Every structure is written in structure tokens, then in C-alpha cells.
Amino acid sequence: MRKPQNKRKSDRQRPKFDKKNQQEADVPTPEMDDVVLGKHATIEALQANRGNKLFLQEDIKGNKIEEIKQLAQEKIVSIKWVPKSKLDEMVDGLNHQGIVLKITPYEYLSLSELLEKTKEKENRFFLILDSIMDPHNLGSILRTADAVNVDGVIIPKHRAVGVTPVVVKTSTGAVEHIPISRVTNLSQTVKELKKENIWVFGTDMEGTDYTQWNVSGDIALIIGNEGKGMGQALKKEVDEMITIPIDGHVQSLNASVAAGLLMYEVHRKRR
């Protein structure tokens, strides 16, 4: 594999990439890993054969509802009509659009399973999310990751949001199409990726301009926490820092926006 033309990690500075965004959540929402809500996410979950029981608001109508009902019948998923108050109670007041689907819990891959699943691919592209707390951010990132054919997303088990109903809904069902590995230690995970000749890049306020980023070969990109950026231990393991120049007054980008911009840069260069 061709070595990226960049400074080695001993030569670079390591300021934080992402300052605290007051509009983003500081803690994960409680996980409900046995339900999906919303129209698009329900369709994707049913098509993926993860539906167990479908709850519909008793007065809801429309072409999309008929499509969901037909799909549930095809997948032999029972349907129950209930008041809106019942749906509100089931999902703790989240916006369900009159639809709640009970599902089998999401099955994460181990790192070894993810690497085995993608071993035959060339120029693999992995995304590592360092303690993303906001389920809307995670859902948006997964939606973009699916759009640009990211080969897998890696998230930590602790101090980070997992695949919740809000994540599934925000991703508009993309979570059903992109492999997600949940690991105990991100620093150890990065070391394992490097053993597989995967070049690992971090995001920081200083580093290589993302437009000059060499994206050849197998790569992994780390997106830091919404408030604190990348952890210091993780920074020590990366091969190169990538930066997005910012000329305005606010010296940070939303985590999902930064992730989307960088994912599309890889997609653009590889096309």
C-alpha cells in the first residue's frame, strides 16, 4: 500500500478539533433497543426482517401507512391499533409519527467480525466515532456513511450513544445497511487496525488541510466527541491529523457536519 505523503505523528501538533457546542447533548439518552419509530425506519427494519409486532395509531391513515401494513403482513408481523397516548408511553414521548415497531435488538459486530466481513474489499473506509453522545448526530452520521459506502462504523461501548430509536429514525433506516462494531477500547482498536495496514486519521484544529488528504489504500477516520474532541490517548495512535479550515467567528463544526464533509471528500477523491 502506498504510504500517505504526510508528517508522521511525532511531528504534528495536537490541539482539539471540536470545541463545545452548546446545542448538542452532553449525555446519551436512555437506550430502548427493542423498538423502531417513524415511517422510513419502520420500513427498513421490516425489510431487514427485524420486526416482531407493529403498533399503529388508531386514527392514522395515508399511502405510506398502507405500504407499512402490507409489508408487515408479508413479513408475518402482527399489527395492533392503539391510541396515541399508548404509543407516547411506549417510547417515552419521542416523535413516533403514529408508528412503533417492536424489533429484535440491533446486533453489533465485533472488530474481528467487521474486518472479516470486509476483507475482500479494496480501499476500505472505516469511520471511528469517539464518544459521540447525541443520538441525532449518530443517526445523521450513519445516514451519510451509507450514502458514501463507508465499509463500517466503529463506536465505543461506554460513554457513547448506541443504536437507539432516535438514532434509527434520524438515519432514516440507514442503520440497517451499514455494519456497526461496538468495542471496549478505541485505542486498542486503532492499534489492531494499524496491524491490518489500515491508515488511521484523526480530526483536529491543526493538521493537513482536508483537500490535500491522501485517501488511497485502506483508511479509518476518527470523529471526536461533540464537546471535547478526540481523547488524548487516541490522538497518540493516529498516523495523521486532518483539519477543516474555518474562517468565521465560530471555530468548530457540528460533529455530523464535519463527518459528512470529510466522508464526501473521500468519496469525491475515490470517484
Side-chain angles (χ1 to χ4, degrees):
M1 182 177 68
R2 181 164 64 87
K3 177 180 176 182
Q5 298 173 353
N6 54 62
K7 294 181 180 180
R8 299 302 297 164
K9 58 185 178 183
S10 60
D11 298 326
R12 65 172 185 266
Q13 296 175 319
R14 299 172 184 157
K16 293 180 180 178
F17 170 70
D18 217 356
K19 303 297 182 182
K20 185 175 182 180
N21 187 329
Q22 296 295 336
Q23 296 179 345
E24 293 178 336
D26 292 324
V27 294
T29 56
E31 292 195 26
M32 295 177 288
D33 60 1
D34 63 342
V35 296
V36 161
L37 44 140
K39 299 173 183 177
H40 295 292
T42 295
I43 289 173
E44 295 291 345
L46 286 170
Q47 290 176 337
N49 297 310
R50 292 214 294 138
N52 291 330
K53 190 171 185 177
L54 177 63
F55 294 84
L56 295 175
Q57 188 171 312
E58 55 190 6
D59 57 350
I60 196 169
K61 298 178 181 179
N63 293 335
K64 188 66 68 174
I65 299 303
E66 292 302 317
E67 179 184 347
I68 290 171
K69 284 170 54 181
Q70 182 176 347
L71 184 57
Q73 292 167 352
E74 292 174 1
K75 298 294 184 177
I76 317 179
V77 173
S78 63
I79 302 173
K80 186 173 183 179
W81 297 87
V82 297
K84 179 179 182 297
S85 58
K86 174 64 176 177
L87 298 181
D88 292 341
E89 180 182 341
M90 289 175 64
V91 298
D92 198 23
L94 295 174
N95 181 17
H96 47 68
Q97 297 179 321
I99 306 163
V100 174
L101 177 67
K102 285 281 186 177
I103 60 169
T104 54
Y106 185 84
E107 293 188 11
Y108 300 96
L109 299 179
S110 67
L111 180 62
S112 59
E113 289 172 334
L114 177 60
L115 293 174
E116 177 66 23
K117 183 181 180 70
T118 60
K119 69 179 182 179
E120 300 300 327
K121 294 187 176 182
E122 295 183 359
N123 298 318
R124 290 178 294 178
F125 179 24
F126 299 107
L127 199 63
I128 302 172
L129 306 181
D130 183 12
S131 303
I132 296 296
M133 298 290 193
D134 188 335
H136 296 92
N137 274 340
L138 178 56
S140 295
I141 289 170
L142 292 174
R143 183 174 182 175
T144 304
D146 177 62
V148 301
N149 294 319
V150 167
D151 294 298
V153 174
I154 300 169
I155 63 175
K157 290 181 179 179
H158 308 294
R159 295 181 295 278
V161 69
V163 178
T164 68
V166 174
V167 170
V168 175
K169 185 173 184 291
T170 306
S171 78
T172 62
V175 68
E176 304 294 344
H177 302 288
I178 185 163
I180 302 175
S181 173
R182 209 176 194 189
V183 301
T184 302
N185 188 301
L186 286 182
S187 294
Q188 185 60 41
T189 295
V190 168
K191 291 177 182 177
E192 293 298 320
L193 293 176
K194 291 167 76 172
K195 288 179 182 178
E196 297 288 326
N197 294 320
I198 298 169
W199 283 82
V200 180
F201 299 88
T203 45
D204 206 286
M205 285 296 291
E206 292 186 15
T208 300
D209 188 306
Y210 80 103
T211 61
Q212 305 301 314
W213 182 14
N214 186 331
V215 300
S216 62
D218 291 349
I219 66 172
L221 171 67
I222 303 171
I223 299 297
N225 169 270
E226 293 95 344
K228 300 177 181 178
M230 285 178 54
Q232 292 299 319
L234 200 55
K235 284 185 177 183
K236 296 177 182 178
E237 301 297 335
V238 303
D239 293 305
E240 183 185 8
M241 287 295 185
I242 303 300
T243 188
I244 302 171
I246 297 176
D247 296 327
H249 295 89
V250 180
Q251 293 297 301
S252 65
L253 291 175
N254 173 280
S256 63
V257 172
L261 196 159
L262 294 171
M263 282 188 279
Y264 264 99
E265 180 67 7
V266 175
H267 188 59
R268 181 185 70 83
K269 287 180 174 177
R270 290 186 169 184
R271 291 186 71 182

